[in-house]
Amino acid sequence: MPALGAGCVCFPTTFLSQHKETTVQLPIQRRTTIRLVVAAAGLAISAMAMAQETIKVGLLLTYSGSSGVGGQLADHAIQLFQKKYGTTVAGKKIEFVKRDTTGPNPEVVKRLAQELIVREKVHVMIGPDFTPNVLAVAPLVTEGKVPTIQTGAATSGIVGERSPYFLRTFFSIPQLIRPLAEWAVKNDLKKTYVVVADYGPGHDSEAQFNKAYTALGGTIAGNSRVPVRNPEFSSYMQRIKDANPDAVLAFFPLGELVPQFLKAYANAGLKDTKIKLIGTADMTDEGLLDASGDTSLGVITSGPYSDAHDSPENKALVADFNAVASKIGRFNASAVAVWDALRLIYDGVAAQGNAKFDPDKFMAFTRGHSFDSPRGPVTIDKTTGDITQNIYIRRVERQDGVLKNVEMVTFPNVPAK
Amino acid sequence: MTSLLTILFNGLAYGLLLFVMAVGLSVTMGMMQFVNLAHISLSMLGGYVMVWAMDAAGVPFLVSLLLAFGACAAFSVLLERLVLRHFYGADDLTQVLLTLGLLFMSIASVAFIWGPAFKPVTVPSWLTGQFSLAGLQLERYRLFLLVAGGLLTLVLVFTLERTRFGAMVRACVDSRRAASGSGINTDGVFALTFALGSGLAGLGGAMSVNLLSLDPNFPLRYLVYVLIVVSVGGMGSITGSLLAACLIGVADVLGKYYLPELGGLFIYLLTVIVMLWRPQGLMGRAA
């Protein structure tokens, strides 16, 4: 840093002194010296400021409460990414400012986002997680012109609609549901019972599946909406038994409902029947697999990322991650979303070179940007800013004593819409 | 018909589980008018003690249930002696705020000690899967809950109705001043009852892990159900709590089966109706 500063100072001072000598007649030696010193000092300060410009990245994630693991996993992903790719891009230091959303908490998140944008003056944000939080920050992000990358909200109709500064490296519900419906019909699952959690994303999944599945010739055998606080599943299991479908589609938010549902499903004896249990990646997320245990064996889900994804990059990443963070949890879809959000930020900042950070140029660059993610090739959509990626149909199996989402079928380049 | 019977069976098993978790709170509230919202935290503690005993120490399932009972009873004595007894004379709001604070502390402590993730439990194979009875396919674990809950109820009722200690407890519930005046060591009776009730909460929590799920937010999820059982049953009444717990359990599963659109709302409606009809609870006495 000092060497660079000094180098920058030398050139303009000599230039300045020549300039002075040619335009000003017989300058008083002493005054010139003072002027030169002042000019040199000013330039040195501005040169140092140039070299030290930092890009502030606001992290709006959940660090405490029932979803607190998510934030901790993100922190480890960030550390690992910076270890691998460095902490500066094009001479700019990448710095992080953390805020804890504590869960789906739109009022709190609105205040935190305001704090990050107005007081901390962040250039880019990662998060917030949970759809209601995302909706709450949309107007602030637009007004403050802060590119904001979604790594944990999957509802359709957010990215590309609520704010021109939204990007997403996670996945969208229809992106997972459509390939799943297609796979189910292809594999002769003609009658499906749909069980979803009774809240926005649950209704979204239900509607998307009904549309895609019936369009392909499938029949909905029945449906149940389960309260988000629900300790007792036996009635729903009985309804499934009565309907006697070929498959059950289940959608629950990441959390206690998933292991509860899987346990109730196994206890009711449904796991031992010919009925197939299918769902979105949330049902067998790496963060819940170990808690669900053997009840999740054989569950078929569609998802963008599995820590068992067979590529050298992913294997190395998972090994590095487990070496430092295996106590906290496993690398999962939201951790890889944070990883890819950093890739977008690094690439986007690098593309602007030495110039001052410009959010609109950042958006123009990232939209349409393609890169290789640990999950496979991804592209950020040119018009919406949402992610286009491979969707894999996976089955939970035990490999080397660990439950894993083993990929069976790949649907390449599935758009988010 | 088979569906209805299966659902009744499931609901009763669920109800008995709620009863075991809630009965201690009902008795101590009836006896001391002490509002202990942290009661549900003891259920969580019981769950963690059981999972820890099974995973780390390799203790068999049934023994670990007893351990959960013992650990929670012992811990509650400590809690009662060190903290709670100083607030017996305090007003309701102080008690509610204090015990709610304890509840949040329990969430943070458990997350710190055992981590924020869900804790799975593997029950022995004779408790998993299903069995056939008169053409019905029923869950073995729920049968275990029914049998264990039923036995506990008998023991409790016998202790309260037929033993000297039981007579003292009833006397304290009826009128603490009169009981104290006739020479009963009400402090001692209360401490013992409190320990027993807390032990039962721990046992219920441990038994619930296989049916519900265990993580640090357990108290927030189940506090409401326990409070409903206590208020619908009537404070201080064991049979009232039993009745209320079975009613809530059965109503919950029936409601979700026949009126799924209402979802979980059914039991709240039922609670409101019972409270309007009998504000003191089903078996509670009018103040």
Side-chain angles (χ1 to χ4, degrees):
Chain A
M1 204 73 76
L4 180 66
C8 289
V9 174
C10 284
F11 169 70
T13 39
T14 42
F15 170 76
L16 253 182
S17 60
Q18 282 168 356
H19 178 74
K20 293 277 176 200
E21 273 164 26
T22 50
T23 52
V24 183
Q25 285 185 334
L26 295 174
I28 303 163
Q29 194 63 37
R30 216 180 62 186
R31 189 170 286 174
T32 315
T33 318
I34 291 168
R35 275 188 189 163
L36 277 176
V37 169
V38 170
L43 277 166
I45 288 164
S46 67
M48 273 165 73
M50 278 280 276
Q52 278 192 335
E53 199 203 336
T54 50
I55 298 294
K56 274 193 169 181
V57 180
L59 296 175
L60 261 179
L61 300 169
T62 309
Y63 287 95
S64 61
S66 58
S67 313
V69 188
Q72 293 169 37
L73 288 178
D75 275 1
H76 280 278
I78 289 169
Q79 276 171 26
L80 216 58
F81 190 93
Q82 291 213 310
K83 215 169 123 191
K84 199 165 173 190
Y85 297 103
T87 50
T88 50
V89 183
K92 293 172 186 162
K93 198 170 182 315
I94 309 287
E95 247 181 37
F96 295 90
V97 192
K98 281 202 280 192
R99 289 291 183 275
D100 181 5
T101 63
T102 69
N105 224 339
E107 283 311 308
V108 172
V109 172
K110 207 169 173 177
R111 179 171 58 74
L112 294 176
Q114 197 144 19
E115 211 174 291
L116 283 176
I117 296 170
V118 177
R119 202 186 309 159
E120 298 287 344
K121 303 207 172 8
V122 296
H123 299 91
V124 189
M125 284 205 293
I126 293 180
D129 38 16
F130 299 103
T131 305
N133 295 349
V134 178
L135 297 178
V137 305
L140 298 172
V141 162
T142 312
E143 205 189 315
K145 295 193 173 188
V146 179
T148 298
I149 309 172
Q150 311 301 321
T151 58
T155 316
S156 48
I158 308 176
V159 182
E161 292 181 31
R162 295 304 176 120
S163 168
Y165 291 93
F166 275 160
L167 296 160
R168 175 151 59 188
T169 53
F170 196 43
F171 59 78
S172 78
I173 288 170
Q175 194 169 36
L176 301 195
I177 290 281
R178 274 182 284 107
L180 188 64
E182 207 177 312
W183 181 88
V185 173
K186 255 190 211 152
N187 284 271
D188 233 22
L189 303 172
K190 294 193 182 95
K191 264 172 65 184
T192 299
Y193 194 95
V194 181
V195 190
V196 299
D198 196 1
Y199 77 131
H203 303 163
D204 196 6
S205 310
E206 186 186 35
Q208 299 282 356
F209 185 80
N210 288 0
K211 204 172 101 194
Y213 187 63
T214 49
L216 291 165
T219 319
I220 303 294
N223 78 303
S224 291
R225 288 180 173 183
V226 177
V228 181
R229 277 176 184 265
N230 179 62
E232 232 287 334
F233 275 97
S234 59
S235 311
Y236 303 112
M237 297 306 151
Q238 193 59 42
R239 288 176 69 87
I240 293 172
K241 276 187 190 169
D242 294 349
N244 191 28
D246 299 324
V248 173
L249 172 95
F251 176 89
F252 295 103
L254 275 185
E256 81 275 3
L257 289 175
V258 170
Q260 272 178 29
F261 176 86
L262 291 173
K263 188 163 264 173
Y265 191 82
N267 282 345
L270 283 163
K271 204 172 155 43
D272 308 322
T273 61
K274 59 160 187 58
I275 303 172
K276 282 224 162 36
L277 181 58
I278 60 176
T280 57
D282 310 270
M283 292 299 288
T284 60
D285 186 87
E286 278 74 9
L288 292 171
L289 267 183
D290 297 324
S292 305
D294 285 349
T295 56
S296 57
L297 273 174
V299 178
I300 290 163
T301 54
S302 60
Y305 176 77
S306 154
D307 68 351
H309 179 65
D310 195 12
S311 75
E313 299 95 306
N314 183 52
K315 279 187 177 154
L317 172 60
V318 170
D320 289 348
F321 187 83
N322 286 341
V324 289
S326 63
K327 270 204 166 157
I328 294 165
R330 286 163 64 177
F331 208 74
N332 62 0
S334 40
V336 85
V338 171
W339 183 271
D340 288 339
L342 290 179
R343 165 102 336 258
L344 273 187
I345 293 170
Y346 273 48
D347 289 358
V349 170
Q352 298 193 12
N354 273 331
K356 198 174 172 301
F357 180 82
D358 179 332
D360 292 308
K361 279 189 188 147
F362 181 88
M363 291 304 294
F365 172 83
T366 46
R367 286 177 169 206
H369 187 48
S370 297
F371 57 96
D372 277 319
S373 157
R375 59 185 120 174
V378 303
T379 303
I380 302 300
D381 189 88
K382 210 161 179 63
T383 49
T384 61
D386 216 335
I387 187 166
T388 301
Q389 59 188 334
N390 291 354
I391 296 300
Y392 308 91
I393 305 291
R394 310 92 49 88
R395 217 176 98 96
V396 178
E397 286 170 21
R398 201 174 271 285
Q399 285 187 341
D400 311 321
V402 182
L403 291 169
K404 289 191 172 154
N405 286 305
V406 179
E407 291 165 1
M408 304 189 296
V409 184
T410 307
F411 286 79
N413 304 323
V414 180
K417 261 208 157 170
Chain B
M1 191 61 196
T2 55
S3 295
L4 179 66
L5 288 175
T6 313
I7 281 176
L8 280 176
F9 172 82
N10 290 341
L12 277 177
Y14 176 44
L16 274 174
L17 186 65
L18 288 179
F19 168 70
V20 176
M21 290 209 279
V23 66
L25 182 61
S26 175
V27 172
T28 49
M29 269 175 97
M31 192 190 265
M32 298 295 286
Q33 274 78 50
F34 185 72
V35 189
N36 180 20
L37 298 184
H39 184 81
I40 191 71
S41 294
L42 290 161
S43 292
M44 169 173 68
L45 180 67
Y48 274 99
V49 166
M50 182 198 71
V51 170
W52 172 80
M54 286 179 73
D55 286 356
V59 176
F61 176 68
L62 290 180
V63 181
S64 69
L65 287 183
L66 293 179
L67 265 180
F69 178 89
C72 290
F75 182 77
S76 73
V77 171
L78 217 72
L79 189 69
E80 202 254 347
R81 289 289 97 182
L82 291 179
V83 185
L84 299 184
R85 72 189 178 104
H86 302 295
F87 295 89
Y88 285 157
D91 57 300
D92 288 353
L93 185 63
T94 309
Q95 293 177 350
V96 164
L97 289 178
L98 171 81
T99 54
L100 200 60
L102 288 175
L103 187 147
F104 281 115
M105 278 170 71
S106 76
I107 293 176
S109 314
V110 161
F112 180 72
I113 300 171
W114 284 289
F118 293 92
K119 288 284 170 196
V121 64
T122 314
V123 295
S125 56
W126 55 273
L127 282 175
T128 58
Q130 306 207 307
F131 68 99
S132 295
L133 183 82
L136 297 177
Q137 288 291 317
L138 302 173
E139 291 172 32
R140 287 214 182 94
Y141 193 76
R142 284 183 197 258
L143 182 68
F144 167 74
L145 288 180
L146 270 176
V147 171
L151 283 177
L152 276 173
T153 311
L154 287 180
V155 170
L156 276 178
V157 170
F158 178 82
T159 312
L160 271 188
E161 301 292 328
R162 296 293 148 117
T163 65
R164 194 178 155 72
F165 172 68
M168 288 198 248
V169 172
R170 278 181 290 137
C172 290
V173 172
D174 282 346
S175 165
R176 196 167 161 237
R177 278 182 69 189
S180 178
S182 56
I184 296 176
N185 174 8
T186 49
D187 265 9
V189 169
F190 182 69
L192 196 58
T193 317
F194 189 75
L196 268 177
S198 304
L200 282 176
L203 180 65
M207 293 202 299
S208 78
V209 178
N210 189 45
L211 194 72
L212 313 175
S213 68
L214 184 65
D215 76 325
N217 284 304
F218 183 97
L220 293 180
R221 276 204 299 280
Y222 301 112
L223 176 63
V224 171
Y225 294 92
V226 165
L227 288 180
I228 288 179
V229 167
V230 171
S231 46
V232 168
M235 280 184 271
S237 163
I238 289 189
T239 38
S241 302
L242 180 67
L243 203 65
C246 291
L247 185 70
I248 294 298
V250 170
D252 189 39
V253 291
L254 281 182
K256 283 176 187 163
Y257 185 72
Y258 288 107
L259 299 164
E261 298 78 18
L262 271 179
L265 205 65
F266 198 65
I267 55 168
Y268 302 113
L269 283 178
L270 191 74
T271 306
V272 170
I273 291 167
V274 171
M275 293 282 92
L276 285 175
W277 169 52
R278 283 184 74 87
Q280 72 275 31
L282 290 174
M283 306 288 273
R285 280 158 310 169

